[in-house]
Amino acid sequence: MQHDHSQNQTYQQPNIPPTGSSAMYPSPTHMQHATSYAPSGVNASIALNSASQQTPVHSVPLQPGTTPRLTRPEILPPSALSSKGDDEEMEDGRIRNKKTSGKIRDAWIYKKVKERASAFTSYGKARIFLGTWNVNAKGKGESLDSWLCSGWGQNGEYAPDIVVVGLQEMVDLNAVNVAVDNKSAQRCQHWVERIKATLNDFRNSGNDPNRAYNLIAQKYLVGLLICVLVKNKHSSRVKHVHTDSVGVGVMGMMGNKGGVSTRLQFYDSTICIVNSHLAAHRENVAGRNADFKNISSKLKYEIGAAAVREGIQNGSLLQLEQDGNNTPAIRMLDHDIAFWMGDLNYRVGDEDEISTAKVLELSEANQFDELRRKDQLNIERAQGRVFQGFEEGVLNFPPTYKYQPGTDVYDKRPDKKIRAPAWCDRVLWSAQDPSHVTQLTYTRSELNISDHKPVMSTFAITVKDVDVNKRDQVHTEVLKKLDQYENQSLPMVGLDRVHLDYGEIHYNETMVLPITVTNTGKVVAQFRLVPKLDESVYCKNWMTISPTYGMLLPGEEAIIKFTISINNAVADALSSGRELLEDIIILRLENGRDYYITVTGKYARSCFGMSVDELVLYSDPIRSVPLDPIRRAERYGTNQAAVLCVPKELWRIVDAIFEKGLQENGLFVTPGLQDEVVRIRECLDTGAKFGDFEIHSMAEVLISFLRSLSLPIVPKDLFPTLEIDANNVQSTARVFLEKLPPIHYNVFIYIISFFRECLRQQKGLIPATLSRICGDCLVIDEAAKANPRRKAINLIMYYFLDTNSI
């Protein structure tokens, strides 16, 4: 076996402190009853570690710049409340929906029981180990100790309470194995037996039954495998174990890519673990994001009515739904804690951002800062496009892919396609209470039979133990209080206003107005928003409302926030007169009346979100052009023709940048001041003179104006359909210009000429930078921005910028 010691000269796996030692992790300060914690049904000598015995330990820090988005859903999804088919009209004209009322009632009970969880819940600490490895269809008899049992300690004091192992490419992902499940069952059994044998080997368990592990769940899908093992001493406190799998590979359903999952109740905490293999290829970020969304939306666990009832009573069930057979089912983020691991296949940037050679150089030198900044998963999480609600520790180990099998050297063989190293193999987590999860280690093993390195992570988790008698007492008290009000007269609420007037609202602006709903009656009041007759949504797309439902005891209040946001699509609809800032929202009181809330606002017309074909029709400031089509026709006539060659707003901002001077360093790269950007946009819309604004603010407004156009300067039918190279770029560019519509042609020539002048005067700018900017703001279409069409468009833009062809 060959080793490249230069790759690992500074990389060392961290030690893991023992669960029972003085180097323990802290428990949340709010935990009650921790001092006497010993889970019922288990001998105190083998109980989970008492939360009061813990002292701090160093935990793995979170990824910098990727703020966790703990976007846990509402207890009930809005879709569970919008079934109009179950509405019943009473004799007095009131509307009642018994099914929806029951769901809101259960959600309220869960909320109230959870508020009093400290009265019947004790807390302890447990350790969970997660290991993920793409084995590349290899693996026979090599030892797995360095991956699964590293640092357990002489007497198992470091050993985890739960071990979860996820494998990918357990078998070759060829057409036969994917379609027929040819070898998966056999390889699944092979790996499960090897994992059990490793964990329970005398060297690791010492033949102590309490240190041995018991397999509680396994699930495979073609090359994917997940298996969950717990220490024997905890086996009696594991229940409601369910598995599920989702294929998202070939045709969006085959198992060459997808996820396998297990959920369980450990003591009285619910845990869900997903092992997945997402779409490959460096440039296919959107495919990986789509796979995550597909898997997370389809994974579902039909845990049964008894488990649902217990979850509600424990205050440990976030959300439930009914499947087609009215069987209670829950999803991944409905659990106390969720883990997601696997070969997620996210890479380090693309070749335009950072070359394969550069990634190899930095990886081999153990210089990770730039790699982490360009890591696709970090970027996508930071933008909120994937793994919403999940956290991840800092990547302080070398990229785990792609190695030459049998060595510790990144694969650079000349007869193979050289891949940029990447952290394909990851472990993330999400928790209802973030303080209940601490990541202790996040590292990798140096096993080298595959082209991937195994990854492992150990967590300290806070585990709940419920006193059933005390819980039932709290549940009874909550129900008794509820019954006192439900048995009285009809509900009544008061709204502090039923008309929301937003006044003037501008482009890219968000405004929020609240309405306070007060239960003025003597009984419980349940409310929800409902769609208007013959409509499927309860408000227009420019508005969001939260919360959409609620339950109030007499005297209680709830604040409903109504938010208007003006984005490009909304601005386009308002400017063309297809839409108005007017709506009526229906607030329905279950077993009571409907309340009608009127919403009005006035859009301050902006050149942003319009098309250049519309803007050249007016020499007046665009703010003064009426939104109403009739009034607009009265002022300008019904058969308008262009009065300008290019929009005056474009001319003004370009002219202002010229006057400021094009020698400023960082032009079109350095961001402007946001308050200046807003004021410049207002000057363009009203015709007011520009103030003394920074040139970078001016440049940012120019780019955002072009990006906001409702119709791109380059129409979709001009997107390149063939491969562009140096041989055909001139002819392609000529055809490109000839087919541009007249106004679009004028604007295109104007912008290209301006950017050429910028290149002439600004030595810091290069054609490649401006060609990418042109591609981004003149071609407003996501499909066209994807490789290889983006490269073709950028090449055409580069040609225009770097030659005298126009």
Side-chain angles (χ1 to χ4, degrees):
M1 180 174 65
Q2 299 176 348
H3 294 274
D4 183 355
H5 298 288
S6 65
Q7 289 189 44
N8 296 307
Q9 55 186 351
T10 61
Y11 167 63
Q12 294 181 342
Q13 295 186 24
N15 291 325
I16 310 173
T19 358
S21 74
S22 60
M24 276 302 297
Y25 26 87
S27 63
T29 55
H30 66 273
M31 293 181 181
Q32 306 287 327
H33 306 289
T35 55
S36 60
Y37 175 64
S40 57
V42 180
N43 186 288
S45 64
I46 60 170
L48 297 173
N49 298 290
S50 171
S52 66
Q53 298 172 355
Q54 321 308 333
T55 55
V57 71
H58 295 295
S59 62
V60 177
L62 297 180
Q63 289 281 11
T66 55
T67 304
R69 289 171 172 79
L70 297 179
T71 53
R72 291 288 194 165
E74 292 183 282
I75 298 170
L76 293 173
S79 59
L81 304 174
S82 58
S83 175
K84 297 173 71 173
D86 296 318
D87 286 350
E88 300 177 14
E89 185 171 357
M90 313 297 285
E91 291 182 359
D92 57 2
R94 291 180 290 111
I95 303 297
R96 179 175 176 81
N97 189 317
K98 293 181 180 180
K99 183 180 290 187
T100 296
S101 178
K103 291 178 180 179
I104 295 178
R105 186 179 188 273
D106 284 345
W108 182 87
I109 294 171
Y110 156 80
K111 177 183 175 183
K112 293 300 179 182
V113 169
K114 189 171 184 179
E115 287 173 358
R116 298 178 58 182
S118 60
F120 56 81
T121 306
S122 301
Y123 298 86
K125 288 291 185 179
R127 220 175 248 241
I128 182 170
F129 168 93
L130 290 98
T132 175
W133 190 13
N134 184 321
V135 296
N136 196 22
K138 295 179 175 63
K140 291 183 178 179
E142 60 285 332
S143 172
L144 303 179
D145 286 4
S146 65
W147 176 35
L148 301 181
C149 308
S150 176
W152 275 19
Q154 186 174 0
N155 298 311
E157 61 269 22
Y158 294 74
D161 299 287
I162 306 172
V163 173
V164 186
V165 179
L167 301 180
Q168 307 86 42
E169 295 194 33
M170 184 175 58
V171 298
D172 281 324
L173 299 183
N174 55 47
V176 174
N177 286 336
V178 171
V180 185
D181 188 11
N182 202 33
K183 298 179 181 178
S184 298
Q186 177 184 349
R187 293 297 291 171
C188 169
Q189 195 59 33
H190 164 80
W191 277 105
V192 168
E193 292 302 324
R194 288 189 62 193
I195 292 166
K196 288 168 57 180
T198 300
L199 298 179
N200 293 327
D201 185 84
F202 175 79
R203 291 171 299 173
N204 298 320
S205 69
N207 285 345
D208 181 352
N210 286 328
R211 288 170 56 187
Y213 288 88
N214 180 37
L215 178 70
I216 64 166
Q218 67 182 60
K219 183 74 173 178
Y220 72 85
L221 175 69
V222 189
L224 285 165
L225 168 67
I226 187 171
C227 57
V228 181
L229 304 97
V230 300
K231 283 185 176 178
N232 283 338
K233 65 180 183 179
H234 301 306
S235 295
S236 63
R237 297 303 305 273
V238 177
K239 58 183 176 180
H240 303 316
V241 179
H242 293 265
T243 62
D244 194 15
S245 64
V246 174
V248 295
V250 180
M251 296 184 294
M253 58 181 288
M254 300 300 284
N256 58 309
K257 294 291 187 288
V260 289
S261 176
T262 299
R263 65 88 55 196
L264 63 139
Q265 183 171 314
F266 185 69
Y267 290 78
D268 291 299
S269 290
T270 55
I271 303 173
C272 181
I273 313 104
V274 180
N275 170 38
S276 70
H277 192 185
L278 306 186
H281 303 303
R282 190 176 183 184
E283 70 279 1
N284 194 16
V285 179
R288 289 184 275 281
N289 291 355
D291 283 354
F292 165 79
K293 183 177 180 181
N294 203 357
I295 294 169
S296 58
S297 66
K298 289 182 178 179
L299 283 173
K300 186 167 60 175
Y301 314 94
E302 298 176 0
I303 63 176
V308 169
R309 185 164 54 252
E310 182 177 359
I312 292 175
Q313 291 176 336
N314 287 346
S316 188
L317 182 62
L318 187 66
Q319 177 178 309
L320 64 97
E321 63 179 53
Q322 305 288 329
D323 68 4
N325 299 317
N326 288 326
T327 303
I330 58 173
R331 297 190 180 275
M332 174 185 59
L333 288 182
D334 302 337
H335 296 78
D336 289 319
I337 304 171
F339 296 97
W340 193 301
M341 64 179 176
D343 180 0
L344 307 187
N345 251 324
Y346 286 91
R347 311 303 172 91
V348 177
D350 60 27
E351 193 67 25
D352 290 340
E353 296 171 313
I354 181 168
S355 68
T356 297
K358 184 66 173 178
V359 178
L360 278 164
E361 174 191 338
L362 295 174
S363 299
E364 292 173 343
N366 289 328
Q367 296 177 9
F368 304 145
D369 288 346
E370 183 176 357
L371 301 181
R372 282 192 292 255
R373 286 195 299 270
K374 290 187 168 134
D375 176 77
Q376 292 173 350
L377 181 55
N378 287 346
I379 293 170
E380 295 304 295
R381 287 183 60 235
Q383 295 298 322
R385 289 190 283 262
V386 73
F387 283 97
Q388 300 87 347
F390 280 85
E391 301 177 13
E392 186 186 24
V394 172
L395 299 162
N396 279 326
F397 49 88
T400 55
Y401 172 84
K402 179 185 185 182
Y403 283 84
Q404 182 176 334
T407 76
D408 294 317
V409 179
Y410 289 114
D411 197 341
K412 295 183 285 187
R413 290 175 288 181
D415 59 326
K416 303 286 185 180
K417 181 175 181 179
I418 298 178
R419 307 278 187 181
W423 287 288
C424 291
D425 312 283
R426 313 288 275 264
V427 179
L428 300 93
W429 76 94
S430 177
Q432 288 193 41
D433 187 338
S435 68
H436 283 191
V437 179
T438 300
Q439 188 176 42
L440 303 179
T441 64
Y442 192 20
T443 184
R444 74 178 207 177
S445 166
E446 297 306 312
L447 290 174
N448 62 13
I449 62 169
S450 171
D451 55 357
H452 289 249
K453 294 291 186 182
V455 167
M456 61 273 207
S457 183
T458 304
F459 296 84
I461 60 174
T462 299
V463 178
K464 297 182 287 189
D465 187 47
V466 170
D467 184 317
V468 176
N469 293 329
K470 291 181 179 179
R471 180 202 67 192
D472 290 346
Q473 182 180 348
V474 169
H475 193 255
T476 300
E477 291 172 1
V478 170
L479 289 178
K480 188 176 294 184
K481 184 176 182 180
L482 180 58
D483 289 341
Q484 290 175 0
Y485 296 104
E486 285 185 331
N487 293 331
Q488 296 181 22
S489 59
L490 298 175
M492 294 179 61
V493 298
L495 279 62
D496 63 343
R497 54 179 164 176
V498 291
H499 178 64
L500 298 175
D501 186 357
Y502 287 80
E504 189 172 73
I505 185 166
H506 295 73
Y507 171 81
N508 206 31
E509 185 177 11
T510 296
M511 293 183 66
V512 181
L513 290 179
I515 288 181
T516 300
V517 182
T518 305
N519 186 347
T520 57
K522 296 182 179 180
V523 298
V524 171
Q526 298 177 356
F527 65 87
R528 61 187 172 107
L529 301 182
V530 297
K532 294 179 281 294
L533 189 64
D534 298 328
E535 295 187 8
S536 58
V537 294
Y538 41 76
C539 64
K540 293 186 177 180
N541 63 352
W542 39 262
M543 172 167 279
T544 56
I545 307 173
S546 180
T548 60
Y549 67 89
M551 185 170 182
L552 302 172
L553 296 182
E556 285 188 337
E557 293 182 349
I559 297 177
I560 303 177
K561 294 181 179 180
F562 297 75
T563 305
I564 287 182
S565 298
I566 307 297
N567 57 26
N568 287 345
V570 173
D572 176 38
L574 292 170
S575 295
S576 64
R578 301 192 311 272
E579 183 61 271
L580 297 172
L581 292 180
E582 295 178 0
D583 201 2
I584 296 176
I585 311 299
I586 303 176
L587 181 79
R588 175 159 295 166
L589 191 60
E590 294 299 328
N591 202 29
R593 56 165 288 195
D594 286 346
Y595 295 81
Y596 296 90
I597 302 167
T598 59
V599 177
T600 58
K602 181 181 179 182
Y603 175 56
R605 182 196 276 272
S606 173
C607 60
F608 287 73
M610 295 180 66
S611 69
V612 293
D613 300 283
E614 294 173 299
L615 291 171
V616 295
L617 299 177
Y618 309 106
S619 57
D620 298 328
I622 201 66
R623 180 69 52 79
S624 66
V625 177
L627 290 169
D628 179 46
I630 297 177
R631 290 182 53 209
R632 194 161 61 239
E634 290 173 351
R635 179 183 296 186
Y636 298 103
T638 56
N639 295 315
Q640 287 181 265
V643 296
L644 302 169
C645 295
V646 296
K648 60 188 176 301
E649 294 83 4
L650 177 62
W651 177 86
R652 285 191 66 197
I653 193 67
V654 168
D655 187 62
I657 295 174
F658 260 116
E659 288 185 3
K660 288 281 182 182
L662 303 180
Q663 293 78 30
E664 182 77 19
N665 288 331
L667 194 60
F668 301 110
V669 177
T670 303
L673 302 174
Q674 287 309 301
D675 61 324
E676 287 193 356
V677 168
V678 173
R679 285 186 284 154
I680 294 169
R681 195 162 57 214
E682 189 69 6
C683 290
L684 290 176
D685 292 336
T686 61
K689 290 183 62 176
F690 290 133
D692 186 20
F693 301 127
E694 285 194 0
I695 190 170
H696 295 302
S697 301
M698 292 283 192
E700 182 173 332
V701 171
L702 171 61
I703 299 304
S704 62
F705 168 76
L706 295 171
R707 283 176 174 163
S708 76
L709 293 172
S710 60
L711 293 176
I713 298 302
V714 179
K716 288 185 178 181
D717 58 359
L718 291 187
F719 293 166
T721 58
L722 48 80
E723 192 169 325
I724 307 298
D725 55 31
N727 296 324
N728 62 5
V729 65
Q730 182 177 359
S731 59
T732 303
R734 186 183 305 113
V735 173
F736 179 90
L737 277 180
E738 291 173 352
K739 291 187 176 182
L740 278 174
I743 301 301
H744 294 235
Y745 176 90
N746 294 345
V747 172
F748 184 82
I749 298 297
Y750 189 69
I751 293 297
I752 293 296
S753 301
F754 169 65
F755 280 153
R756 280 183 180 175
E757 185 64 21
C758 293
L759 288 170
R760 191 180 68 80
Q761 295 193 34
Q762 169 60 265
K763 294 184 179 179
L765 278 177
I766 59 175
T769 299
L770 288 183
S771 68
R772 282 196 296 270
I773 292 175
C774 287
D776 285 341
C777 63
L778 301 181
V779 184
I780 310 171
D781 184 87
E782 293 303 318
K785 292 180 182 180
N787 285 331
R789 300 177 86 178
R790 182 178 67 177
K791 291 183 178 180
I793 290 171
N794 287 349
L795 186 58
I796 292 174
M797 298 300 170
Y798 190 99
Y799 172 79
F800 284 124
L801 291 168
D802 198 43
T803 66
N804 293 319
S805 57
I806 55 175

